[in-house]
C-alpha cells in the first residue's frame, strides 16, 4: 500500500539528512545554501567569501573512482593518459585515455662484456635508445664496475679502445633511466637489457618483440619459438642485420626492434587490452550522482553507529 512505501522513503530521507548534517559538522560538506526558501539541487553550493578575505579552498572527499583497467589499457596503458587534463573531474572519469604520443615510445638495446670469474658475468658496455621514428636519443659506451675479462667483440662489437672515453656505469644508468621514465619501452629479449642496467621497468609499459606470437605468425615461424631479431628482420622487414665479424650494432638492433613493434602495434595493443578483466557494471554514474554515497554500503560501520 502507499502508506508503508511513504514511511520507508521518510526513514531513508531521515538517515540521509542525518548523515549530511554529520558531514557538514565534520567540515567535509559545505552547508546548504537556500535560494528563495529552497535548497540548491546538490546541496554543495559554495559559501560566498567575505569581502577582503581570501576564500578557503573547499575540502571534501573525492567521489570519483579510478579509471577502469580495460579503459586504461585500451590503447597503450594508463600510465600514458596522465597529460594533466581533467584529472579527478567527472569529465576525466567518463572520457577514455588519449592515445599516447610518439614521444612516449622508445626502443632500447644494450651490448654487454664479460666480467668476473672467467668473464661469465655480463655487464653493460654500450647502450642505445631510439625514438618511435628510429632517431638516436642516447648512445654511449659504458665502463663496467668490474674489470673486463672478455670483450665478446664477435657479438658485442666492443673493443678496448671503446672504453677510453666510456662513462662510469652509475652515471650512464642515471641518464638512461631518466629517459625510460614513464615511457613504453620496446626491445628484443629486453629482460637482458634491463638486467644489464640493474633495473626493472613496469611490465605493462614493456614490449618485448621476442615474445609476441603475432610477429612469428607474420614471419611464418612457429608461434611458440622465440625467434631471433635477425630472423624476424629478414622475414618481415627484408633487412639484413648482425652480419660480419665486427659484432652487433646496438643502434641497428634498437631501430629494428621499433620497426617490428610498429608493424603489429595496433593488433598487439588491442590484444593486450582484451586480456585484462572487464570493468564491473555500475548501476549509476558516480560522477553525476553523489547522493548514492549516502547509502549504507558506502559508510563504515563505526561511523554509522556513531551518527544514528
Amino acid at each position: 500500500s502507499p502508506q508503508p512505501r511513504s514511511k520507508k522513503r521518510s526513514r531513508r530521507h531521515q538517515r540521509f539528512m542525518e548523515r549530511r548534517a554529520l558531514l557538514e559538522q565534520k567540515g567535509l560538506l559545505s552547508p546548504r545554501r537556500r535560494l528563495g526558501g529552497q535548497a540548491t539541487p546538490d546541496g554543495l553550493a559554495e559559501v560566498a567569501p567575505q569581502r577582503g578575505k581570501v576564500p578557503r579552498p573547499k575540502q571534501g572527499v573525492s567521489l570519483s573512482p579510478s579509471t577502469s583497467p580495460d579503459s586504461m589499457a585500451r590503447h597503450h596503458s594508463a600510465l600514458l593518459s596522465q597529460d594533466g587534463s581533467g584529472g579527478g573531474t567527472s569529465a576525466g572519469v567518463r572520457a577514455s585515455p588519449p592515445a599516447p604520443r610518439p614521444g612516449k615510445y622508445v626502443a632500447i638495446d644494450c651490448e654487454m662484456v664479460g666480467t668476473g670469474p672467467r668473464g661469465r658475468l655480463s655487464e653493460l658496455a654500450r647502450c642505445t635508445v631510439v625514438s618511435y621514428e628510429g632517431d638516436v636519443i642516447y648512445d654511449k659506451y659504458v665502463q663496467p664496475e668490474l674489470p673486463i675479462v672478455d670483450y665478446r667483440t664477435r657479438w658485442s662489437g666492443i673493443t678496448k679502445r671503446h672504453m677510453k672515453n666510456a662513462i662510469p656505469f652509475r652515471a650512464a644508468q642515471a641518464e638512461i633511466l631518466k629517459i625510460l621514465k614513464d615511457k613504453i619501452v620496446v626491445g628484443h629479449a629486453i629482460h637482458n637489457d634491463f638486467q644489464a642496467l640493474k633495473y626493472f621497468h613496469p611490465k605493462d609499459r614493456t614490449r618485448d618483440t621476442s615474445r609476441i606470437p603475432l610477429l612469428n605468425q607474420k614471419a611464418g615461424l612457429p608461434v611458440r619459438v622465440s625467434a631471433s631479431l635477425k630472423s624476424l628482420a629478414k622475414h618481415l622487414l627484408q633487412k639484413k642485420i648482425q652480419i660480419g665479424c665486427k659484432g652487433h650494432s646496438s643502434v641497428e638492433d634498437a631501430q629494428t626492434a621499433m620497426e617490428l613493434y610498429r608493424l603489429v602495434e595496433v593488433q598487439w595493443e588491442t590484444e593486450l587490452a582484451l586480456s585484462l578483466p572487464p570493468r564491473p557494471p555500475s548501476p549509476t554514474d558516480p560522477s553525476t550522482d553523489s547522493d548514492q554515497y549516502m547509502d549504507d554500503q558506502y559508510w563504515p560501520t563505526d561511523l554509522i553507529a556513531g551518527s544514528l
Side-chain angles (χ1 to χ4, degrees), residues 4-278:
R5 286 199 298 271
S6 178
K7 289 182 178 180
K8 183 177 180 180
R9 286 197 298 269
S10 178
R11 287 194 297 269
R12 183 176 180 183
H13 181 69
Q14 183 181 0
R15 290 199 304 271
F16 177 91
M17 296 303 295
E18 288 174 348
R19 290 171 183 172
R20 182 186 292 277
L22 179 62
L23 290 178
E24 292 178 357
Q25 182 181 357
K26 290 179 176 293
L28 299 177
L29 196 66
S30 300
R32 290 178 296 167
R33 182 176 61 184
R34 296 184 177 276
L35 299 175
Q38 294 184 356
T40 55
D42 58 2
L44 300 176
E46 296 181 9
V47 179
Q50 296 180 6
R51 185 174 300 177
K53 292 185 178 181
V54 179
R56 296 177 61 186
K58 292 172 60 179
Q59 294 181 351
V61 179
S62 176
L63 302 180
S64 299
S66 58
T67 309
S68 63
D70 59 336
S71 63
M72 289 163 57
R74 184 155 48 246
H75 201 81
H76 308 46
S77 172
L79 21 108
L80 301 177
S81 66
Q82 299 175 355
D83 58 356
S85 59
T89 63
S90 59
V93 173
R94 289 193 298 268
S96 300
R101 300 174 296 276
K104 287 291 184 179
Y105 299 85
V106 294
I108 190 172
D109 187 75
C110 297
E111 301 298 341
M112 280 73 81
V113 293
T115 64
R118 299 183 181 180
R120 292 181 178 178
L121 294 178
S122 293
E123 288 200 53
L124 182 67
R126 184 185 182 185
C127 181
T128 301
V129 182
V130 302
S131 68
Y132 185 78
E133 292 80 12
D135 299 322
V136 176
I137 299 173
Y138 186 94
D139 183 32
K140 290 186 180 182
Y141 290 97
V142 182
Q143 181 67 54
E145 294 182 300
L146 296 177
I148 299 175
V149 177
D150 185 358
Y151 283 93
R152 303 177 184 174
T153 305
R154 179 180 176 184
W155 298 278
S156 68
I158 306 295
T159 62
K160 187 175 182 179
R161 66 180 179 85
H162 291 129
M163 293 295 104
K164 292 181 179 180
N165 298 319
I167 66 173
F169 171 77
R170 292 298 173 184
Q173 183 191 50
E175 293 174 349
I176 297 164
L177 299 193
K178 186 176 181 180
I179 296 173
L180 302 187
K181 184 180 179 182
D182 297 329
K183 299 290 197 303
I184 284 183
V185 184
V186 180
H188 194 83
I190 199 170
H191 60 280
N192 293 323
D193 302 307
F194 290 152
Q195 186 175 4
L197 285 168
K198 299 180 181 180
Y199 167 69
F200 294 95
H201 197 68
K203 186 177 180 180
D204 62 336
R205 294 175 181 254
T206 302
R207 303 293 183 266
D208 190 341
T209 54
S210 72
R211 298 185 178 183
I212 173 65
L214 286 172
L215 290 172
N216 288 30
Q217 291 172 0
K218 282 183 172 292
L221 301 173
V223 175
R224 297 187 178 183
V225 172
S226 181
S228 68
L229 185 66
K230 182 177 182 178
S231 178
L232 291 174
K234 178 181 178 181
H235 286 88
L236 298 177
L237 304 175
Q238 290 72 51
K239 180 179 178 181
K240 293 182 179 181
I241 63 171
Q242 301 175 354
I243 57 177
C245 58
K246 295 184 178 181
H248 301 177
S249 166
S250 55
V251 172
E252 184 180 56
D253 289 354
Q255 291 172 336
T256 301
M258 182 60 83
E259 288 183 65
L260 290 171
Y261 169 75
R262 293 179 62 175
L263 196 63
V264 293
E265 176 185 359
V266 175
Q267 188 175 355
W268 192 351
E269 296 300 336
T270 301
E271 291 186 1
L272 285 176
L274 294 176
S275 67
L276 293 176

